[in-house]
Amino acid sequence: MKHKIFSRLKRLVSNAGDSMSVKSIKEDDGHIPIPKEIYNWKIVLVAITAASAAIIIGYDTGFIGGTVELESFQKEFGMDKMSSDERSLVSANVVSIFHAGAFWGALLMYPIGELFGRKIGLIVSGFILTLGCAIALISNNERGLGAVYAGRVLSGFGIGGCSGLAPIYISEISPASIRGKLVGCFELSWQVGGIVGYWINFGVQENQPISTKQWLIPFAIQLVPAGMFWILTFVIPESPRFLVSKGKIEKARKNLAFLRNLPEEHEYSLHEMDLFIADSEKKSKIGTGFFAPIKEVFTSKKLLYRLLLSTSLFPMQNGTGINAITYYSPTVFKSLGMDGSSAGLLSTGIFGIIKGVSALFWMFFIVDNLGRRFALIVMSVPLSLCMWYIGAYVYVADPASRLASGNTEMDAGGKAAQGLLYIWSVAYAMSWNGTPWIINSEIFSQEVRTFTSAINASSNWFWSFIMSRFTGKAFEATSYGLYFLFAACMVLFPCVIYMLYPETKEVPLEAIDYLFEVPAWRARDYAMSKFEIEYEGQYTADPSSSEQSFHEAHFPDKGNS
């Protein structure tokens, strides 16, 4: 029985559509068959390497909120002598300055990614990220928080660059049928980092005495994934689509052959190169250089509308409550009536594990099978219901006042609220957690993708900064009101997704523009049909054609390198 199931899954993966079209999987209709070799360990390892930058993002969300609450950290920097308002302000600054750095990193790394390539951009970002993690370690009570602030700004800057480049890099190198899974590695890395961060916090609180070492360990561990990511970026290949856009056809063919695990002269390799070049040639009218994509976007109403859609995904994502709950998870669990910092950190660690396992399920069974729209629309229902209950419980039972009076026993309603928060984390991880990143890595064509990805990433970090900077105060003012706000958002936003956001599952990147020519709910079938007619009917691979004639046909005025 198990053998039959495994064989069936293997056939499904081997026959899935790639970056040509859905019909390409049929060998009897005149299309080039898809070789099983394109689904290989090389493409997976390269995607995981690029995605591993997100481990730092997840680790930061997992450790920083709990670390600044440690007694050792607060004594080290005199926070224990501050008033409640002053302490909240410093904590918010330490947490949110990372996002401010990431905002500017996403924008300012755009020129490198556009002019010199995704690989060079990731190398530079990885270096800045690693440097920032190292600088934060020199802080102590004599030097104050200056090094922490500086280190977190720099590490945030590096992460901002990675978040703008890594998803589009993975998207560009991936076969369409597994593009969601491979870009989803970015989200999975995020969750892995978060789990480690949560449990490192719990571990140092339970096993380390109150000392400098207790809070310094979580900061120091960042150096491990940051340094590994930076070193590994030197060995990944440049995106073939980027190389084609710069006229470097020979190098693009070599890199594509490596990623697809096929010879350069294989008919599938030649055909896929034909599609890349045809798309690049078709859209080369915008010109080259730093300002060309910017001008193209801001002078096109269609692209501006699409940019509005893509950047809006991140405020909607924050409307689920994720950054408020993640960065202030100990505060959240206290608002439900859980007493003690170690109990809050333990619950936070369990929260992280549930999110990580659920993200794995999302990556393998939802995003490339049921689709992006399904994830964002259907899974919003449990997100909303859970928040309505939690808000109602906090409003009616007022567990914070009960704790303040000395009653530390959690009642049945509080246990139910805690359980629903875990259910909420499952629904979130299977929907709004990674899906916006996948959509935004797909919905722009090659000539503007680097610029729009930078804008989209900066949108994420702007809204993350807002939530991390002001949520602490909001929880102090009205915690139940926040839960009601998040619940209402999850009623409204699925309607927006249904009306405005097309399905991108398995749609070739060369066909993305067609998605926005018709209403969102019927865009995918329309785009696939139009792509079939325009590209598959017009371009064919000729295994006998030489590299010279192939290049001259498409880039007569450019060199081969």
Side-chain angles (χ1 to χ4, degrees), residues 11-58:
R11 286 197 302 273
L12 286 172
V13 172
S14 299
N15 293 327
D18 74 332
S19 60
M20 296 189 297
S21 76
V22 171
K23 290 184 180 179
S24 302
I25 66 175
K26 301 176 182 178
E27 299 188 20
D28 58 354
D29 64 357
H31 290 285
I32 297 173
I34 296 175
K36 65 180 183 299
E37 287 83 359
I38 71 169
Y39 308 105
N40 60 80
W41 62 269
K42 294 178 184 177
I43 190 77
V44 174
L45 288 181
V46 171
I48 290 174
T49 297
S52 64
I55 292 175
I56 295 296
I57 310 176

Side-chain angles (χ1 to χ4, degrees), residues 90-259:
V90 172
S91 296
N93 288 339
V94 171
V95 171
S96 63
I97 201 167
F98 177 87
H99 304 105
F103 173 84
W104 291 108
L107 292 177
L108 297 179
M109 287 302 296
Y110 155 68
I112 295 179
E114 173 64 26
L115 300 177
F116 302 103
R118 286 72 164 113
K119 176 177 179 175
I120 297 298
L122 290 173
I123 290 173
V124 174
S125 297
F127 170 74
I128 297 173
L129 165 62
T130 306
L131 178 64
C133 292
I135 288 176
L137 299 181
I138 67 173
S139 289
N140 57 33
N141 59 348
E142 295 178 356
R143 298 188 183 95
L145 284 167
V148 169
Y149 287 139
R152 286 184 60 73
V153 166
L154 284 175
S155 58
F157 189 97
I159 278 297
C162 293
S163 66
L165 294 171
I168 62 168
Y169 171 80
I170 301 170
S171 181
E172 288 176 359
I173 67 172
S174 302
S177 64
I178 59 171
R179 189 171 62 232
K181 291 183 178 67
L182 295 183
V183 179
C185 290
F186 190 80
E187 177 56 38
L188 188 62
S189 297
W190 197 318
Q191 297 307 316
V192 169
I195 292 171
V196 174
Y198 291 136
W199 288 102
I200 289 294
N201 260 347
F202 182 73
V204 295
Q205 172 144 344
E206 291 295 300
N207 300 295
Q208 287 291 328
I210 298 173
S211 63
T212 298
K213 186 177 180 181
Q214 186 189 44
W215 67 263
L216 197 60
I217 288 174
F219 275 92
I221 287 175
Q222 293 179 102
L223 269 174
V224 177
M228 289 181 63
F229 167 75
W230 178 44
I231 292 170
L232 290 173
T233 54
F234 286 92
V235 300
I236 62 175
E238 182 57 87
S239 159
R241 280 185 168 95
F242 171 81
L243 292 170
V244 167
S245 72
K246 300 301 180 183
K248 300 180 179 180
I249 306 302
E250 183 178 357
K251 182 64 175 176
R253 291 191 66 190
K254 291 182 182 299
N255 286 8
L256 184 65
F258 172 81
L259 292 166

Side-chain angles (χ1 to χ4, degrees), residues 274-414:
D274 247 345
L275 294 179
F276 294 172
I277 291 175
D279 185 65
S280 179
E281 202 173 40
K282 177 182 174 184
K283 294 162 182 172
S284 61
K285 64 182 185 298
I286 75 163
T288 59
F290 171 76
F291 291 105
I294 301 175
K295 181 181 178 182
E296 177 70 9
V297 170
F298 286 106
T299 57
S300 169
K301 291 183 179 179
K302 292 181 178 179
L303 288 177
L304 279 175
Y305 168 72
R306 204 183 306 180
L307 188 61
L308 175 63
L309 291 181
S310 62
T311 53
S312 295
L313 282 171
F314 291 114
M316 287 195 286
Q317 182 191 58
N318 277 277
T320 65
I322 182 57
N323 279 318
I325 291 172
T326 300
Y327 279 101
Y328 294 94
S329 51
T331 302
V332 170
F333 282 104
K334 286 178 183 177
S335 76
L336 302 182
M338 181 167 288
D339 183 43
S341 57
S342 61
L345 286 173
L346 176 61
S347 297
T348 300
I350 296 171
F351 176 77
I353 290 177
I354 292 172
K355 275 177 60 185
V357 173
S358 301
L360 194 65
F361 185 89
W362 162 82
M363 190 173 82
F364 281 102
F365 299 104
I366 293 180
V367 69
D368 274 333
N369 296 312
L370 300 177
R372 287 65 157 153
R373 278 164 60 88
F374 175 92
L376 296 180
I377 294 171
V378 175
M379 300 306 291
S380 293
V381 175
L383 288 175
S384 182
L385 293 175
C386 290
M387 284 295 160
W388 285 121
Y389 175 86
I390 293 172
Y393 168 74
V394 173
Y395 177 72
V396 173
D398 194 10
S401 296
R402 190 186 72 241
L403 284 176
S405 68
N407 183 358
T408 59
E409 185 177 350
M410 180 179 279
D411 59 19

